[in-house]
Amino acid sequence: MSSVPVGEVESFDEFYSEVKEIEKRDSVLTPKQQIDRLLRPGSTYFNLNPFEVLQIEPETSLDEIKKKYRRLSILVHPDKNMDDSERAQQAFEIVNRAWKTLENDDTRKKCMNIYQEAKERTEHMIEQKKKKQKKESRQAEGIPEDDPIKFKHAVYVMTMKLFADMERKRQHLETRDQEERKRKREAEIEQEEQLTMEKEWAKNFEESRQNRVDSWKTFQSGSGGEKKKKKKNKMMIFKPPKPKPESR
């Protein structure tokens, strides 16, 4: 079973009483709705953005982020959702991961940089749209992003895109690193096998050297005795030439 997410709360009774207060204050923050939201189709994409997971504005203070995290972690905690504990556990881990990302100064700064870049890109896009309208003499028409709500949505969409781009780059680097480690390991294995073969060859060569020396000596001694024997036989069968008859 997962541990209690927040140390400040003394018991699950306090957890659940706080849940009731949350549900009473905001009816959309129910356990089922939050679990469904965090596990909806495409959630892998949406949950890359910790601001989206915790349903907060990027400029929210760390104290307020922590409060929102506590509320959500209580709502989706597996112990609170015994009839759907497996999905609740998944949702709880998503919420916890988002909090860990924003709790850390370095990773929260990276997330804020992504948000700022999204705003700058959106503003640049709006500027380009207005230039195009001016060029086409349609300046009076305006653009949808002039509406603050639509501008905010455009920034949101761009933020999600940048988080997705960052994740793709991370996966690409991870894949490339794994492939590089694999190639390096394969080269090491090949080198180890080559060294093993060379050692085995050297060992076999050393062990067979004495046999080769003994065989050579045997061959040499055998060849010398045969020559002597043949020479001796030749001496034994030597016959003097027959005398020629005298001629008168």
Side-chain angles (χ1 to χ4, degrees):
M1 187 64 65
S2 300
S3 60
V4 176
V6 184
E8 292 87 348
V9 182
E10 295 293 331
S11 67
F12 278 110
D13 289 337
E14 291 182 50
F15 267 151
Y16 298 153
S17 81
E18 184 171 349
V19 168
K20 294 302 180 184
E21 288 298 319
I22 293 169
E23 292 176 349
K24 183 178 179 181
R25 183 169 60 251
D26 191 341
S27 61
V28 302
L29 286 178
T30 63
K32 184 180 184 309
Q33 288 171 323
Q34 287 299 333
I35 292 172
D36 289 343
R37 178 182 71 86
L38 293 167
L39 300 179
R40 67 193 184 280
S43 60
T44 301
Y45 169 75
F46 287 104
N47 294 339
L48 294 171
N49 183 351
F51 304 121
E52 168 70 11
V53 171
L54 298 180
Q55 295 185 303
I56 56 173
E57 296 295 330
E59 297 90 349
T60 304
S61 69
L62 186 60
D63 285 341
E64 289 301 315
I65 294 173
K66 187 175 184 179
K67 289 178 182 178
K68 191 60 179 288
Y69 157 68
R70 290 180 66 237
R71 293 170 187 169
L72 286 176
S73 62
I74 292 169
L75 286 168
V76 302
H77 197 280
D79 291 343
K80 168 66 177 175
N81 300 274
M82 299 295 289
D83 58 337
D84 196 12
S85 60
E86 185 175 342
R87 294 177 74 245
Q89 179 64 36
Q90 296 177 40
F92 176 77
E93 290 172 359
I94 291 167
V95 170
N96 192 55
R97 185 164 57 247
W99 162 244
K100 292 298 181 184
T101 299
L102 296 178
E103 178 188 31
N104 181 276
D105 290 339
D106 292 335
T107 50
R108 186 171 73 255
K109 184 178 179 180
K110 289 179 180 178
C111 292
M112 286 301 300
N113 288 341
I114 289 175
Y115 171 66
Q116 290 299 330
E117 184 179 349
K119 283 185 67 177
E120 291 172 4
R121 289 195 183 191
T122 303
E123 288 168 354
H124 178 72
M125 177 267 293
I126 291 172
E127 183 181 348
Q128 294 302 310
K129 279 188 176 182
K130 289 184 176 181
K131 283 182 178 180
K132 183 178 180 181
Q133 279 193 349
K134 185 176 181 180
K135 185 177 180 180
E136 297 174 354
S137 300
R138 294 188 296 113
Q139 187 175 4
E141 294 181 13
I143 60 173
E145 289 79 14
D146 287 336
D147 182 339
I149 294 177
K150 292 184 178 179
F151 172 78
K152 183 177 180 180
H153 179 72
V155 173
Y156 167 80
V157 171
M158 182 61 70
T159 301
M160 299 302 296
K161 179 182 182 302
L162 293 179
F163 271 108
D165 289 345
M166 183 178 69
E167 176 63 13
R168 279 193 291 269
K169 289 178 182 177
R170 185 195 68 78
Q171 291 179 0
H172 174 71
L173 290 174
E174 183 178 341
T175 300
R176 189 174 68 179
D177 184 55
Q178 288 176 349
E179 291 174 350
E180 181 62 28
R181 288 200 302 268
K182 182 181 178 182
R183 283 194 295 267
K184 185 177 179 181
R185 182 55 186 155
E186 287 174 347
E188 289 174 350
I189 292 173
E190 185 177 351
Q191 185 177 17
E192 290 171 0
E193 290 176 347
Q194 183 65 28
L195 289 173
T196 300
M197 289 175 61
E198 290 175 359
K199 288 180 180 178
E200 188 69 22
W201 185 88
K203 179 182 177 183
N204 293 337
F205 180 85
E206 185 65 26
E207 289 176 349
S208 63
R209 183 174 63 175
Q210 189 60 46
N211 291 336
R212 293 194 302 274
V213 171
D214 293 341
S215 297
W216 178 250
K217 288 181 178 179
T218 302
F219 173 76
Q220 289 286 71
S221 61
S223 299
E226 187 66 26
K227 287 180 181 180
K228 290 179 180 179
K229 184 176 180 181
K230 287 181 179 179
K231 187 175 181 181
K232 184 177 180 181
N233 289 340
K234 285 182 180 180
M235 291 177 65
M236 289 177 63
I237 63 175
F238 175 74
K239 296 180 179 180
K242 293 181 180 181
K244 294 181 180 180
E246 294 182 2
S247 60
R248 293 181 180 180

